[in-house]
Amino acid sequence: MYPLSKRCGAEFFGTFWLVLGGCGAAVLAAGFPQLGIGFAGVALAFGLTVLTMAFAVGHISGGHFNPAVTVGLVAGGRFPAREILPYVVAQVLGAIAAAGVLAVIANGQQGFDLQASRFAANGFDAYSPGKYSMAAALVTEVVMTAGFLFVILGATSKRAPAGFAAIPIGLALTLIHLVSIPVTNTSVNPARSTGPALFVGGWALEQLWLFWVAPIVGAIIGALAYRLVSERGPQA
């Protein structure tokens, strides 16, 4: 096993890549006139960030890149609780750094307005892309994150085909975004939500609580559900 410092470094860079690639696709490319990639392109971008970094550094840190995943893996018996805090700190710092780089790039466009663009921040009610309620956002984030953890635990099981876990995990994140971007702009990742929210401020920070609470609750539910159906328990 790699030292904790190296594993946290891998989590920093992995989360940096996730936020830069996923949120970057949303901010810079999703609505580009006539050639925009749209929701499907943004969904694919998020999936590709996890897929690529899981192969790049997953063998170092486990490839969490997400505080909810870290907590879920603890609930699933796959990760020690004593290492939650350093992992989460590294993930949040990586997300903030990526949001900072993205802000510099985006502000290089003439007429860009960070507040008007909403900077890929997550939200509900008036700040949901589809104007979905807080209740709808809460249910969406809980259920989607639960499903994500279920896939992660199954794909990384010792009984699953070795060496391919990053593929279903990346595809699962793509699917999650295809479903939930209209509802919340898709979080399922408190670090991903925190980076852009710090730059938008105001409403994004006021609503940030939901994008910490719901994914973490969902991750725990998903992990417990997997343990319930797994034939060999938490180490299956």
Side-chain angles (χ1 to χ4, degrees):
M1 180 180 292
Y2 285 83
L4 181 60
S5 60
K6 290 187 179 294
R7 288 185 280 132
C8 287
E11 287 296 303
F12 174 93
F13 285 112
T15 313
F16 177 95
W17 188 242
L18 184 151
V19 173
L20 184 65
C23 294
V27 172
L28 305 177
F32 195 80
Q34 299 179 350
L35 297 176
I37 62 175
F39 285 172
V42 174
L44 183 60
F46 272 102
L48 288 173
T49 62
V50 170
L51 174 64
T52 53
M53 270 296 173
F55 275 120
V57 300
H59 62 285
I60 298 174
S61 67
H64 302 187
F65 318 142
N66 180 339
V69 170
T70 298
V71 173
L73 290 175
V74 171
R78 301 280 187 86
F79 190 73
R82 66 181 180 277
E83 294 184 355
I84 290 177
L85 183 60
Y87 262 55
V88 170
V89 169
Q91 292 156 359
V92 171
L93 290 177
I96 294 170
V101 171
L102 181 57
V104 171
I105 295 170
N107 278 306
Q109 181 186 39
Q110 185 175 3
F112 177 79
D113 187 326
L114 189 147
Q115 297 297 327
S117 74
R118 298 188 182 176
F119 202 53
N122 300 112
F124 52 84
D125 290 335
Y127 302 103
S128 157
K131 307 299 186 245
Y132 285 83
S133 68
M134 182 181 72
L138 185 67
V139 171
T140 298
E141 291 291 328
V142 169
V143 172
M144 292 298 172
T145 314
F148 193 37
L149 260 293
F150 198 94
V151 171
I152 290 171
L153 288 168
T156 56
S157 166
K158 292 179 180 178
R159 301 181 68 185
F164 295 100
I167 297 173
I169 292 170
L171 290 175
L173 190 60
T174 300
L175 175 60
I176 287 167
H177 279 78
L178 287 172
V179 173
S180 60
I181 287 177
V183 184
T184 63
N185 227 8
T186 309
S187 172
V188 300
N189 184 337
R192 170 263 183 270
S193 297
T194 300
L198 288 176
F199 286 84
V200 174
W203 65 267
L205 288 175
E206 291 171 3
Q207 297 190 355
L208 183 60
W209 65 270
L210 186 145
F211 302 104
W212 274 86
V213 173
I216 288 174
V217 170
I220 293 171
I221 292 172
L224 295 179
Y226 183 79
R227 294 182 70 164
L228 181 65
V229 303
S230 173
E231 293 180 357
R232 299 179 64 185
Q235 297 301 321

